[in-house]
Amino acid sequence: MRRPLGVIIAALTLLAGCSRAPADQEHASPATASAESSPSAAEPGTSPGPKPSGPLFTPTATVTMNVKGYWSWAFFEHRTDHLYGSAPFTTSDTASMAKAWVAADWLRRQGEQNKQPSSAALNEISRMIRDSETENTFKYHVQNGNLSSIKRMITLCGLTETKGTQNSWSLTQMSARDVTRLAKCIGDGRAAGPKWTGWLLNEMRNVRGPGRFGPIEALPADAQKTTAIKNGWLARDDGQWHIACMALGDGWSIGVMAHYPSSLGKDYGAKTCREVTKQLLTQH
């Protein structure tokens, strides 16, 4: 039996005691891959890897930055089911990024039960996504089943490193590559279901205020219009800022996770997400 194609992935620098060794090629998990889209075995004389993701990104680009603390990134090429990024697949908490799943899970379950959400509920969820309003998030998380909702996300979206915490959506631990898998899960309709996927993506494309940072800032203006995002940011009691960035575009998704001394401020982590994206762009 022939082995799958190898692929050159990006190497990261050794930062603040966190290893950035190159990762081997990562395919999407069985829950997200299909025989039609999986890379075929190499034939004599063929190219050893997939082509870059169109003119916008070169996912095999080397991403190097000298920043303090922990950071990790991943790029998911949806059309080829190839994942690129840093290793090991260390996790960090999602903070408000998990609100995208809270919304998706609640909306999908409403659709499965043939229920029409009230205008009040949709307004609350809209503010939860666009403005990252936290007031009602736990209410919907509890209605989703609390920790069982996170377990459902892991199964439905084919996540491999994610772990949930009882009575908390924001403490959900995710790897950068699981962030890209979640983004794909939202984009292809599994997360929110056929009735509500378009609505949720529109909300995520209209994130505003302090939550509109990271990958979206590095993209060309035309790509920004069609890119859905949800970020997380919080200065926690451990004395560190925790930053989580998720971006979903046409056939691709990006995930960046970081935490670092709180004295450096939120913008330090926002810049990390932005610079990762910038280095992956074909022209930058």
Side-chain angles (χ1 to χ4, degrees):
M1 180 177 180
R2 292 177 293 184
R3 294 181 178 274
L5 280 176
V7 65
I8 301 173
I9 62 92
L12 299 175
T13 56
L14 190 65
L15 301 173
C18 297
S19 175
R20 295 294 178 267
D24 292 332
Q25 172 189 340
E26 282 299 317
H27 296 291
S29 65
T32 58
S34 65
E36 291 78 15
S37 58
S38 296
S40 59
E43 297 292 345
T46 60
S47 172
K51 295 180 179 179
S53 179
L56 187 59
F57 290 104
T58 303
T60 55
T62 300
V63 176
T64 56
M65 288 187 294
N66 183 21
V67 297
K68 296 181 179 179
Y70 160 81
W71 65 287
S72 179
W73 70 276
F75 181 93
F76 195 173
E77 166 55 80
H78 300 171
R79 296 182 181 91
T80 60
D81 274 327
H82 276 78
L83 273 161
Y84 307 79
S86 54
F89 310 119
T90 309
T91 63
S92 187
D93 57 278
T94 61
S96 288
M97 189 181 71
K99 291 173 182 175
W101 169 255
V102 174
D105 197 29
W106 192 84
L107 290 167
R108 188 193 69 260
R109 286 157 59 82
Q110 291 289 297
E112 290 171 349
Q113 299 171 50
N114 294 316
K115 294 181 179 179
Q116 175 61 38
S118 67
S119 58
L122 291 176
N123 286 335
E124 288 177 349
I125 293 174
S126 176
R127 293 195 301 271
M128 186 172 74
I129 299 299
R130 294 190 183 208
D131 303 312
S132 205
E133 188 176 275
T134 300
E135 180 181 358
N136 295 295
T137 307
F138 188 66
K139 175 180 71 176
Y140 290 105
H141 181 58
V142 170
Q143 290 181 21
N144 287 341
N146 208 318
L147 182 57
S148 63
S149 175
I150 303 302
K151 292 179 178 179
R152 192 159 49 246
M153 174 179 72
I154 293 169
T155 300
L156 184 65
C157 299
L159 312 184
T160 55
E161 286 83 45
T162 299
K163 293 182 180 180
T165 299
Q166 183 69 14
N167 296 324
S168 177
W169 44 269
S170 74
L171 288 175
T172 302
Q173 296 289 312
M174 295 187 76
S175 63
R177 66 176 183 171
D178 271 359
V179 171
T180 68
R181 288 167 172 157
L182 173 59
K184 183 177 187 294
C185 189
I186 293 172
D188 65 21
R190 283 174 291 156
K195 183 175 181 179
W196 291 104
T197 293
W199 185 90
L200 179 58
L201 288 173
N202 182 65
E203 297 305 305
M204 293 173 67
R205 290 180 183 126
N206 285 281
V207 167
R208 58 200 174 195
R212 192 172 182 84
F213 66 84
I216 194 76
E217 298 176 295
L219 298 176
D222 57 342
Q224 289 185 19
K225 296 176 182 178
T226 58
T227 298
I229 65 169
K230 193 71 189 87
N231 298 320
W233 67 102
L234 188 64
R236 293 202 180 275
D237 293 339
D238 61 1
Q240 298 189 87
W241 269 99
H242 291 238
I243 300 290
C245 294
M246 176 173 66
L248 167 67
D250 182 13
W252 58 267
S253 52
I254 290 174
V256 183
M257 306 295 274
H259 51 255
Y260 52 88
S262 57
S263 60
L264 295 173
K266 172 197 168 187
D267 289 345
Y268 189 86
K271 181 179 179 181
T272 298
C273 294
R274 182 172 66 247
E275 288 300 314
V276 166
T277 307
K278 183 178 179 180
Q279 292 189 37
L280 289 170
L281 289 171
T282 301
Q283 295 182 353
H284 53 82

